Amino acid sequence: MSGQRGFLAVVAGIVALLILTVGVVLVQGDRPLASFGPGSPEAAVQAYLVAWDAGDDRAAWTAFSARVKAATPVDAYPEQAQLLRTKGFMTDGSRQVFVSPAKLSGESATVPVTVETTAVSGMNVNRYRQTTTFPMVREEGAWKIDQLLMGTEFWYADK
Amino acid sequence: MLTIRRLYLYAMSGVMLVVLASGLRLLLSVLLDTLGLAGDPALGGGSTRETLSLAGALVGVGLPVWAIHWWLVRRATLGGDAEAEAERASPIRAAYVSIVLAVTLAFMATAAIDVVRSILQEVLDLRPAYGSIGDPAGSIATILICGAAWGFHAWVRRVDLLAGPLSGGAVLWPRLYLYVAQLITLVAMTGAVSGFTNALADRIAAGGVAGFDDYANYTIPSALAVLAVAGALFLAHAVYTLRLVAEPGWRGESERRSHMRVGYLVILIGAGLSATIGGLGESLRGLLLVLLGAADGSLPPGGIARATIVPLVVLAPWLGAAVHARYQLLREAGRAPAPGRAAAGTRLDQHVRSLVGLGYGAVALAWLLGIALDALIGGDRYALGSGGRAFDLASFLPNAILGLAVWALAWARVTASRVANPDAEASSGIRRAALLAVLGAGLAASVGSAAFILYRVFGSALGVVGGPGVASELASAMGILVVAAAVALYHGLVVREDVRARAHPTDTTAAGIPVDLPSRAVPATPPPAGGERPLVLHADPGVDLDAALAAARAALPPGAHLVDARQPPTQ
């Protein structure tokens, strides 16, 4: 009988997990977007990502440091961005972008940014995560990204 | 009929278990994500409900179908009658449980490594600047669901074992799982030690520069994670096995008599010894390169210190495994009640050590001989640079010395055993298998190298090839031929001696004087006393009757005589 009880307990546990998960998802809904302190490196990264995803390349370009801007003028940036970006691809429902807490070191910092992609194909779900660490510098009281990026990918300007 | 039914039930249970487990994993990862395990996203989102829908579908289909089939499987084991016993003792059932345990363990281990690596990356501040990372919710869900499946099926197995003795396939499959799991986790651990040690040495050699050193930032936490997870799994399975071997009941007895266990221990001894010789050789190579003045450009970052120390660290776990396995093999064989088990254990240990030593020593010696011949006959192998010859010398000399030393020590024991117990050793299947394996390998290498030499000689004679390049190729082939032929010849002579010994077994009297015994095995029960039987010895034309009579007399047991009716008795 203990074997029977154990088997029934397993089945009951699975059903309970199903009910619990559906309940939590319906009640909780989607996670709210993270909000970061104004003027923080994380907020600067978030602003850049929002601008990039919306296709506002000039706004995205302003997130870079003076050094990066000098190497890639404002008119050159959108040209390359057009080739690489699909507008709204970060907010199409298959991706989430997580900005991890910054590591500060004086006037510089690093901010890890993780893109989590969920690919559903038939009955198959694959989820994978890619992390890029953004180097940041503080210029005139504001945090700027000290590496040319296309979205979350490192990019190196043509000489 | 029952077998087909059993195959169907277990196959369907297995397939549905995969569907159910996939759905539960997705379900749990959705729950963890919704509860904020990964934090709040800065951008995006919205795939939760789609994933939940899929998870619900998988569980909705998988759960009832798996539950029905597993209930039928369970029902077949209830009742205590002959059918229930047959179900419990079925190899198909044992194979199913073992496969489920293995697969769930593999998934659990992979996910656990992901989780531990992520934690270590944060704790040690070794995040790579760019790269893919694990999915924490998915990994934790995998650990929990696969862990539950593993635990459930381990419990099923435990219930079967508690019901009474099992044999045949019903014990072989779970035993295979146990030893394969230990082997794989041991290999993973030793690989992790190597990865960690090399990455750490690279970091130290680079001056410990912090920053976006992606290789070290990924390798160090990965290696530590593998070491932790694989190490824990190896220890858990090894401790379980040792407790099982020590058990006084039928399970312990079955394990102690198991050939699979002996094979596992022999593999550990062989692989461990091989890794030890290889590691020591690599360590000595660094020293030799410095002594020979060929260290420039040949040593890894970190110089002589790294070249000598890292291989020693890497070989340590293998050496430990080999020493422990040898201790277990000899101890268990010595305690076995069956006659001859102690000697068989000793034989296995001696022969596996001599095989490994000979493998390293002979191959290295062949290459060294090739290098020497290349220098003698003017080959151009080292024409491009002056350091090549020194590098090869430094690479092969330590292996030759270490390998031949290991072989010599082991072979001395083998020879001593042969002298002390000639009949038993000459008749040993283990000894025969080892000798024939070496003989076969030696012959194969000899034939191959001889064929290559002839090919090049004919080619040179016909003007197809020529020059110093051919001389270098011939030198290598000749080195292999000489060593392989010598190995084959020596072991062939030993085999011949054993064949003769089996045909004419030797025993010693109480005074220690060898006395020839008949080539036929002496019957266990004494022959009937007394009696005569008239016989006629017939020979075909050309056969020497006197010689035939002499041979027949030589084969008689003590107390029996052949009388030639035409002559007086000779015995």
Side-chain angles (χ1 to χ4, degrees):
Chain A
M1 278 307 283
S2 68
Q4 177 127 351
R5 276 201 213 119
F7 179 58
L8 289 174
V10 167
V11 174
I14 291 171
V15 174
L17 178 64
L18 182 61
I19 294 170
L20 172 70
T21 305
V22 172
V24 168
V25 168
L26 288 177
V27 168
Q28 190 89 356
D30 288 332
R31 301 290 308 169
L33 289 181
S35 63
F36 304 103
S40 66
E42 296 92 335
V45 168
Q46 187 178 34
Y48 158 76
L49 290 172
V50 169
W52 168 269
D53 191 60
D56 190 348
D57 300 317
R58 286 179 183 269
W61 184 82
T62 61
F64 295 121
S65 65
R67 183 186 68 83
V68 173
K69 285 175 186 169
T72 307
V74 62
D75 294 322
Y77 185 70
E79 250 178 63
Q80 298 178 49
Q82 302 290 328
L83 296 171
L84 296 158
R85 183 215 27 246
T86 304
K87 203 185 295 187
F89 93 111
M90 288 189 189
T91 49
D92 66 359
S94 68
R95 283 178 188 79
Q96 300 185 95
V97 184
F98 296 89
V99 176
S100 299
K103 280 198 60 164
L104 298 169
S105 179
E107 295 297 294
S108 61
T110 55
V111 178
V113 175
T114 301
V115 178
E116 179 183 281
T117 306
T118 304
V120 179
S121 171
M123 299 285 276
N124 206 17
V125 176
N126 286 315
R127 192 158 75 173
Y128 52 94
R129 304 172 116 226
Q130 187 85 21
T131 294
T132 308
T133 304
F134 287 14
M136 312 285 290
V137 289
R138 195 183 341 231
E139 291 175 347
E140 295 171 1
W143 285 98
K144 300 291 184 182
I145 301 171
D146 195 29
Q147 166 67 47
L148 185 66
L149 293 163
M150 294 289 165
T152 57
E153 308 273 333
F154 288 150
W155 199 256
Y156 299 94
D158 295 332
K159 298 253 184 228
Chain B
M1 187 63 188
L2 273 178
T3 301
I4 296 172
R5 177 180 177 271
R6 218 172 263 145
L7 278 170
Y8 164 74
L9 284 178
Y10 285 108
M12 279 304 290
S13 296
V15 170
M16 285 299 118
L17 183 65
V18 170
V19 174
L20 178 60
S22 301
L24 287 173
R25 181 193 168 276
L26 282 178
L27 204 63
L28 198 51
S29 63
V30 164
L31 180 62
L32 293 171
D33 272 342
T34 307
L35 292 174
L37 179 73
D40 296 334
L43 195 65
S47 64
T48 304
R49 296 193 183 210
E50 184 174 17
T51 308
L52 179 60
S53 307
L54 181 58
L58 290 172
V59 172
V61 168
L63 179 60
V65 180
W66 172 78
I68 289 168
H69 285 81
W70 192 252
W71 178 76
L72 289 169
V73 163
R74 268 203 73 251
R75 200 175 67 159
T77 63
L78 300 174
D81 56 3
E83 273 191 29
E85 182 58 26
E87 184 66 34
R88 186 182 72 90
S90 157
I92 296 172
R93 179 179 173 84
Y96 169 78
V97 170
S98 305
I99 290 169
V100 171
L101 289 177
V103 171
T104 50
L105 186 74
F107 276 104
M108 238 193 330
T110 308
I113 288 169
D114 273 344
V115 170
V116 174
R117 176 175 54 226
S118 299
I119 293 171
L120 286 172
Q121 281 176 329
E122 288 300 319
V123 167
L124 300 174
D125 191 24
L126 288 175
R127 258 179 277 112
Y130 183 75
S132 60
I133 65 169
D135 167 18
S139 296
I140 291 172
T142 300
I143 293 170
L144 292 173
I145 299 304
C146 288
W150 190 95
F152 175 77
H153 289 84
W155 171 72
V156 165
R157 174 68 185 166
R158 183 167 165 74
V159 168
D160 285 349
L161 291 170
L162 287 174
L166 293 169
S167 61
V171 292
L172 282 180
W173 281 100
R175 188 173 288 148
L176 184 65
Y177 157 76
L178 203 56
Y179 289 116
V180 168
Q182 287 178 71
L183 267 178
I184 290 176
T185 48
L186 178 64
V187 169
M189 270 171 58
T190 53
V193 168
S194 173
F196 171 76
T197 312
N198 279 291
L200 188 64
D202 281 341
R203 205 76 194 265
I204 294 170
V209 173
F212 299 138
D213 184 355
D214 281 358
Y215 172 72
N217 282 356
Y218 183 78
T219 306
I220 290 176
S222 290
L224 288 174
V226 170
L227 192 57
V229 173
L233 291 175
F234 173 77
L235 275 175
H237 287 78
V239 167
Y240 176 84
T241 307
L242 287 174
R243 284 191 180 162
L244 184 58
V245 168
E247 260 193 38
W250 72 267
R251 293 188 65 203
E253 181 60 29
S254 172
E255 201 63 35
R256 286 187 293 273
R257 285 188 291 116
S258 154
H259 289 169
M260 195 182 294
R261 174 165 178 76
V262 172
Y264 165 73
L265 293 174
V266 167
I267 287 173
L268 280 193
I269 295 170
L273 185 59
S274 176
T276 302
I277 295 175
L280 279 173
E282 198 180 325
S283 183
L284 289 171
R285 182 179 71 183
L287 287 172
L288 274 176
L289 281 172
V290 172
L291 285 173
L292 294 171
D296 288 344
S298 300
L299 294 177
I304 185 66
R306 188 226 173 112
T308 48
I309 294 171
V310 167
L312 296 178
V313 173
V314 171
L315 73 85
W318 277 115
L319 180 59
V323 167
H324 179 77
R326 183 168 183 262
Y327 168 74
Q328 287 296 128
L329 176 73
L330 296 175
R331 181 167 173 262
E332 289 169 25
R335 288 182 176 186
R341 274 295 297 268
T346 304
R347 243 175 248 133
L348 275 170
D349 168 60
Q350 289 168 353
H351 281 287
V352 81
R353 284 189 291 122
S354 90
L355 280 173
V356 171
L358 185 63
Y360 267 94
V363 169
L365 189 61
W367 278 105
L368 286 172
L369 193 55
I371 292 168
L373 288 170
D374 180 77
L376 278 173
I377 62 179
D380 68 348
R381 184 188 302 179
Y382 303 110
L384 288 176
S386 61
R389 183 169 287 133
F391 185 84
D392 277 355
L393 272 174
S395 296
F396 293 114
L397 190 59
N399 283 353
I401 294 171
L402 291 167
L404 291 175
V406 166
W407 172 79
L409 284 171
W411 193 251
R413 299 285 180 95
V414 168
T415 308
S417 299
R418 175 71 166 80
V419 169
N421 300 292
D423 296 338
E425 292 300 315
S427 306
S428 157
I430 295 168
R431 176 183 168 92
R432 210 178 315 176
L435 290 174
L436 290 177
V438 174
L439 181 60
L443 280 174
S446 302
V447 166
S449 50
F452 182 80
I453 290 169
L454 281 177
Y455 162 56
R456 281 308 196 209
V457 165
F458 290 154
S460 292
L462 294 171
V464 175
V465 292
V470 175
S472 284
E473 289 175 348
L474 280 176
S476 300
M478 282 193 287
I480 294 171
L481 177 63
V482 167
V483 172
V487 166
L489 182 63
Y490 174 71
H491 287 82
L493 290 172
V494 173
V495 168
R496 192 176 70 166
E497 279 305 307
D498 283 356
V499 168
R500 283 182 180 162
R502 284 196 295 275
H504 298 94
T506 300
D507 194 10
T508 54
T509 62
I513 302 169
V515 172
D516 280 342
L517 287 178
S519 58
R520 278 196 308 249
V522 177
T525 55
E532 277 189 2
R533 187 171 300 171
L535 298 168
V536 175
L537 177 61
H538 176 81
D540 289 333
V543 176
D544 187 346
L545 258 176
D546 290 334
L549 181 59
R553 281 190 173 129
L556 291 173
H561 311 281
L562 259 179
V563 177
D564 188 342
R566 297 176 303 167
Q567 292 176 9
T570 57
Q571 267 186 303

